[in-house]
Amino acid sequence: MGAALGWGALAASSLVVGAVLVIPATPARPVEDIARLATPPPWYQLYVTTDRGATREEAQRAQAAGCTVLLVTVDGAAAGVRNFMMRSPFGAIATPAELRTGADTSLTWKDIAWLRSFLRIPIVLKGILDPQDAERAVAEGA
């Protein structure tokens, strides 16, 4: 879907239907190239990883490219149970933690505050299911 011509078509389609383009974490093309194609300006999806330097660089790069919202995935650290990922004919069954999604499993509200400390764009948290967490997200500026 995100091949060289695909991103242009996706950006044009989002404009036609009045949707915002969300650039996925680690896209196949540079975020700057994709952001230039999008009207209105795109959002960027981010997984906070254990490498905070890389996470910071990725978030700042998206902001510099013109992304207007950082969509932080907060439920990616606990991968859902998917049978095809867990079944192995020759070994033990993998647990969600062993699936290694790349997201930091120790993500806390302090990490959201850390992102807020250096970003000028709004942060939206993706994956909140509990109403109290939603209220807390608003209180934390996300």
Side-chain angles (χ1 to χ4, degrees), residues 20-44:
V20 174
L21 176 66
V22 178
I23 300 172
T26 61
R29 300 199 34 93
V31 65
E32 295 84 357
D33 292 352
I34 300 167
R36 273 194 289 276
L37 301 172
T39 303
W43 293 13
Y44 187 82

Side-chain angles (χ1 to χ4, degrees), residues 53-71:
T55 297
R56 181 181 184 127
E57 181 180 316
E58 184 178 359
Q60 289 177 321
R61 184 174 176 192
Q63 178 177 263
C67 296
T68 57
V69 171
L70 189 70
L71 183 66

Side-chain angles (χ1 to χ4, degrees), residues 113-135:
W114 170 73
L115 287 167
R116 288 268 14 105
S117 75
F118 60 83
L119 291 173
R120 297 179 315 278
I121 58 176
I123 295 173
V124 172
L125 303 182
K126 176 188 166 290
I128 288 185
L129 300 175
D130 184 273
Q132 289 178 331
D133 286 338
E135 290 172 1

